Amino acid sequence: MAGAYVHIPFCSHICYYCDFNKVFIEGQPVDDYVAMLIREMKLVMASHPDETIQTVYVGGGTPTALTPAQLERLITGIRAALHFDHGEFTFEANPNDLLTKDKLQVLHDNGVNRLSIGVQSFNDEILKRIGRTHRAKDVYQAIANARAVGFDNLSIDLIFRLPQQSREDFLSSLHKALALDLPHYSTYSLILERKTIFYNLMRSGRLQLPSQDVEADMYQDAIDLMEAAGRHQYEISNFAKLGYQCQHNLLYWQNEHYFGFGAGAFGYIGRDRYHNFGPIKQYLAPLHAHKVPVIEHHLVPLEEQIEEEMFLGLRTRAGVSQQRFASRYHMTIQDVYGDLLQRLADQQLIEVAGDAVRLTNQGQFLGNEVFQQFLIDGQLI
């Protein structure tokens, strides 16, 4: 069984922090893209006829930048090409695409059962500062419309460590988010990625960000408030009521297989990690010739598989299962990392509890530093 990620690279505006593969939608061949995206799914799945798709996640870009008719064609095509008739089916959305119910109705009527809405902040000044075009009032309208149409599995994203953001401001956004009583929330610290407006501003000394201490306080506030509200942390950045964890993202964190469809998408099937062409024209050209649009294949060696098992599993609060590790790799975690586990445990960054190896609360704040220590120097076999 596997998941499927479907990439829609079109946006009606470009946010200052975003480095995902995206283009401004005006003048783009959107209808052709949807048609070729469905063709890609059919071509790929013809080579994997026995693979069952467990979850589908449509991200971007902004999937809800499509028209209702385009959305319907896309969803119908996904269901037919992937033989996907049940399971978690997520669409990313922007609040200002949901101010009327037409797109929501198409999504719901065609079996989409989970929405992930990019809110980022409830402070209108900060939203302007980061290049978002929606305002806080739009979030409330979008959530009300989604509920009216029949959606109950809703998630929103918040970002902290934003330019000129105070701890009090982020606390305010957290409280307003939780007052919506949604089953799932994601909170991410701002990362300055290359080729973004914010990265260029940082390089020129014109980006004022909160200090690392304030950032840590913001993250702790999120953990504490979410837990108090019954939204339990199940991954470094994600919180949910029991039964509402994102099943698609859990596939990633459990190092399971997934197909990637669309411009710039990545997939991981068997030991094959592959990458599609990113530019729209280069993505479409092979599909017009009925060929898959893959630019690169990488056969993942054992050492890299094990490293990723640790990096990804340690992101979750459940941690890495020693039993599962042994059954997958025919060796124990102790065989590979025995001395390191002891050293990190002595530093109170990880804990070994029964079957699980997981980050401590302190380890969560130093996750990237901890993960780097699981890189394997040399070959295991």
Side-chain angles (χ1 to χ4, degrees):
M1 294 206 293
Y5 172 76
V6 180
H7 190 69
I8 304 299
F10 308 113
C11 290
S12 54
H13 65 280
I14 305 297
C15 302
Y16 300 161
Y17 53 84
C18 179
D19 79 327
F20 294 122
N21 188 46
K22 80 282 181 187
V23 293
F24 185 58
I25 194 169
E26 194 70 32
Q28 293 294 330
V30 181
D31 288 318
D32 189 33
Y33 182 88
V34 170
M36 291 302 101
L37 183 56
I38 295 165
R39 177 174 291 178
E40 181 196 1
M41 294 179 207
K42 291 177 179 176
L43 288 171
V44 171
M45 297 314 294
S47 301
H48 300 273
D50 299 325
E51 196 76 63
T52 301
I53 300 299
Q54 189 175 349
T55 65
V56 173
Y57 190 105
V58 183
T62 310
T64 49
L66 273 57
T67 66
Q70 289 165 344
L71 287 170
E72 183 147 24
R73 283 200 299 277
L74 172 64
I75 300 168
T76 302
I78 288 171
R79 289 202 169 281
L82 303 184
H83 307 293
F84 181 71
D85 54 9
H86 67 281
E88 182 187 86
F89 194 172
T90 302
F91 254 73
E92 289 182 348
N94 274 351
N96 40 350
D97 292 327
L98 309 181
L99 298 181
T100 59
K101 296 176 186 172
D102 51 351
K103 295 182 183 182
L104 284 162
Q105 197 70 58
V106 168
L107 297 175
H108 188 266
D109 287 353
N110 286 279
V112 174
N113 51 32
R114 185 176 183 274
L115 295 179
S116 178
I117 303 172
V119 171
Q120 319 317 356
S121 174
F122 283 82
N123 180 325
D124 285 350
E125 285 305 310
I126 284 182
L127 288 170
K128 289 180 195 173
R129 204 174 294 143
I130 66 176
R132 300 292 286 177
T133 56
H134 77 270
R135 298 296 173 253
K137 63 180 175 57
D138 300 330
V139 176
Y140 295 104
Q141 186 64 61
I143 297 294
N145 285 346
R147 284 174 162 157
V149 165
F151 284 101
D152 58 2
N153 195 352
L154 299 167
S155 177
I156 63 173
D157 292 352
L158 296 175
I159 302 178
F160 58 96
R161 190 186 166 236
L162 291 168
Q164 301 176 46
Q165 184 183 42
S166 67
R167 180 181 179 185
E168 291 70 28
D169 175 81
F170 182 58
L171 271 169
S172 174
S173 281
L174 283 170
H175 282 295
K176 288 173 181 175
L178 285 166
L180 288 167
D181 194 27
L182 304 178
H184 191 285
Y185 297 89
S186 299
T187 63
Y188 304 99
S189 175
L190 176 68
I191 298 174
L192 298 175
E193 303 282 9
R194 292 177 182 274
K195 300 180 182 176
T196 64
I197 293 173
F198 276 174
Y199 184 81
N200 292 331
L201 288 173
M202 180 272 293
R203 289 289 300 272
S204 63
R206 291 183 292 153
L207 194 66
Q208 298 177 13
L209 299 178
S211 69
Q212 287 187 326
D213 286 344
V214 171
E215 178 187 2
D217 288 340
M218 290 173 169
Y219 183 43
Q220 189 64 60
D221 289 338
I223 292 171
D224 293 344
L225 284 177
M226 291 289 172
E227 185 62 35
R231 274 60 179 178
H232 308 294
Q233 187 179 27
Y234 69 100
E235 189 268 347
I236 283 177
S237 302
N238 287 273
F239 307 82
K241 289 170 66 174
L242 292 178
Y244 284 91
Q245 297 91 339
C246 178
Q247 297 305 304
H248 182 82
N249 285 343
L250 282 170
L251 282 174
Y252 293 149
W253 299 321
Q254 292 166 357
N255 210 15
E256 299 285 3
H257 295 157
Y258 55 90
F259 294 92
F261 301 107
F266 285 83
Y268 183 35
I269 300 297
R271 289 177 55 200
D272 177 29
R273 176 171 288 114
Y274 63 89
H275 180 199
N276 280 352
F277 284 101
I280 306 287
K281 286 184 179 178
Q282 288 179 261
Y283 167 77
L284 294 175
L287 286 164
H288 284 144
H290 294 268
K291 297 178 181 176
V292 294
V294 175
I295 187 173
E296 182 182 27
H297 290 276
H298 171 56
L299 197 62
V300 181
L302 175 64
E303 292 79 13
E304 195 174 326
Q305 293 175 52
I306 287 175
E307 290 167 354
E308 291 178 358
E309 187 84 16
M310 301 305 296
F311 300 163
L312 296 168
L314 285 171
R315 289 189 62 90
T316 67
R317 297 305 288 148
V320 180
S321 163
Q322 297 189 68
Q323 182 177 352
R324 195 169 109 131
F325 185 101
S327 68
R328 276 191 165 185
Y329 303 110
H330 310 294
M331 62 184 88
T332 69
I333 295 179
Q334 295 290 339
D335 291 336
V336 184
Y337 293 115
D339 292 343
L340 175 61
L341 293 182
Q342 187 59 57
R343 189 162 69 250
L344 292 173
D346 291 343
Q347 295 169 6
Q348 298 185 321
L349 296 174
I350 67 163
E351 59 186 4
V352 181
D355 179 53
V357 177
R358 58 179 176 238
L359 294 178
T360 61
N361 289 338
Q362 181 182 344
Q364 282 193 93
F365 286 83
L366 299 169
N368 288 335
E369 290 88 337
V370 175
F371 299 155
Q372 287 176 8
Q373 298 190 55
F374 285 91
L375 291 170
I376 295 169
D377 185 14
Q379 291 188 320
L380 291 175
I381 299 175

